[in-house]
Amino acid sequence: MSVIAIDGPSGVGKSSTSQEVARRLGYGYLDTGAMYRAMAWLCLNRGVSDPGDVVELIRGADLEITTDPDDFRVEVDGMDITDDIREARVSENVQTVSAVQDARDELIERQREIIGDTTPGIVVEGRDITTVVAPDAPVRILMTAEESVRIARRSTELHGTADAAAVDATRKLVVDRDAKDSTTTDFLTAADGVHTLDTTDVGFEQAVAAVLGLVEDTT
Ligand code: C5P
């Protein structure tokens, strides 16, 4: 069973790269950020924000996430919330979940179960995959890119453009979320044995090729 662990900040291109690498290798794909988002969506829906209540809610939650890179879906209580978890209100409140260690531990356990159940391999992406969730993965990569590039990429995703107004509207979202996230997980420096893939001047196809190259080197 082969695990490819990929971490990085927002807008670095982790999801699209990981999904495509999984497709090319015939592997599963796990977007751990989607699990945090799904639980944040549930907390918002139930009006829950107290850390103790958040953990309780997550422990009892019926969370389903697919690992098929061609059929990505997230469900809570049987309801498809794949699109809902991308809403701005979820992005802005996701730390209600991700900043609570007991909530993280619960999701990390589920992530490890999914990893163990997926054959012949899985590409897992997030913030703490190379260090906490799968530190023994044979391939571990930290994707980085200059902040201005990440903001422009996220702006294009959210607004369909990276013009000055859209970039301005996106800057605060990206910078604030990364600043808060970096207080719980260190996804800005590569741990020992983790390869750094700087995508500042690297397009999508090149990033995919670079990851596949690292996989080839280790098998
Ligand atoms: O990757 P994405 O931007 O969808 O992640 C949403 C949020 O989930 C992050 O901002 C972070 O707070 C949290 N997260 C995390 N650990 C992970 C993946 C995501 O704390 N492994």
Side-chain angles (χ1 to χ4, degrees):
M1 143 69 77
S2 204
V3 179
I4 301 169
I6 301 186
D7 284 328
S10 49
V12 80
K14 310 188 285 299
S15 299
S16 48
T17 307
S18 302
Q19 212 160 359
E20 184 60 17
V21 167
R23 257 183 218 120
R24 303 241 184 125
L25 293 172
Y27 279 14
Y29 160 69
L30 181 61
D31 176 351
T32 61
M35 297 173 76
Y36 285 91
R37 286 173 178 274
M39 293 299 93
W41 177 90
L42 182 62
C43 289
L44 279 170
N45 259 35
R46 299 277 174 89
V48 166
S49 60
D50 173 78
D53 297 338
V54 166
V55 174
E56 192 85 349
L57 187 58
I58 291 178
R59 286 201 175 125
D62 174 16
L63 167 65
E64 294 289 335
I65 185 163
T66 59
T67 53
D68 178 349
D70 289 317
D71 179 26
F72 176 72
R73 273 176 298 111
V74 187
E75 288 180 9
V76 167
D77 295 330
M79 191 172 154
D80 190 328
I81 56 164
T82 311
D83 295 332
D84 308 63
I85 62 169
R86 303 295 163 195
E87 286 171 8
R89 66 185 188 112
V90 175
S91 304
E92 283 157 17
N93 285 283
V94 72
Q95 279 127 356
T96 309
V97 174
S98 62
V100 179
Q101 190 57 49
D102 285 350
R104 300 192 68 81
D105 289 346
E106 191 68 29
L107 290 180
I108 289 166
E109 202 181 308
R110 293 196 194 188
Q111 288 156 15
R112 289 186 178 141
E113 277 168 20
I114 295 171
I115 293 169
D117 285 347
T118 310
T119 52
I122 186 163
V123 184
V124 189
E125 54 112 340
R127 304 284 190 290
D128 59 349
I129 313 305
T130 61
T131 50
V132 179
V133 176
D136 298 329
V139 181
R140 292 183 298 150
I141 299 166
L142 178 73
M143 287 181 69
T144 62
E146 274 171 23
E147 190 175 88
S148 59
V149 170
R150 295 192 289 108
I151 292 169
R153 283 184 192 153
R154 192 39 62 93
S155 171
T156 307
E157 261 170 47
L158 293 175
H159 307 287
T161 163
D163 66 17
V167 163
D168 263 359
T170 311
R171 178 173 292 109
K172 202 172 148 29
L173 290 177
V174 169
V175 172
D176 281 2
R177 191 147 63 92
D178 282 347
K180 284 195 209 151
D181 281 343
S182 59
T183 63
T184 15
T185 48
D186 183 5
F187 53 85
L188 297 173
T189 44
D192 259 7
V194 175
H195 301 276
T196 300
L197 174 57
D198 185 346
T199 65
T200 303
D201 300 312
V202 166
F204 172 67
E205 278 300 333
Q206 273 175 289
V208 170
V211 175
L212 290 172
L214 286 169
V215 174
E216 212 158 282
D217 289 347
T218 54
T219 49

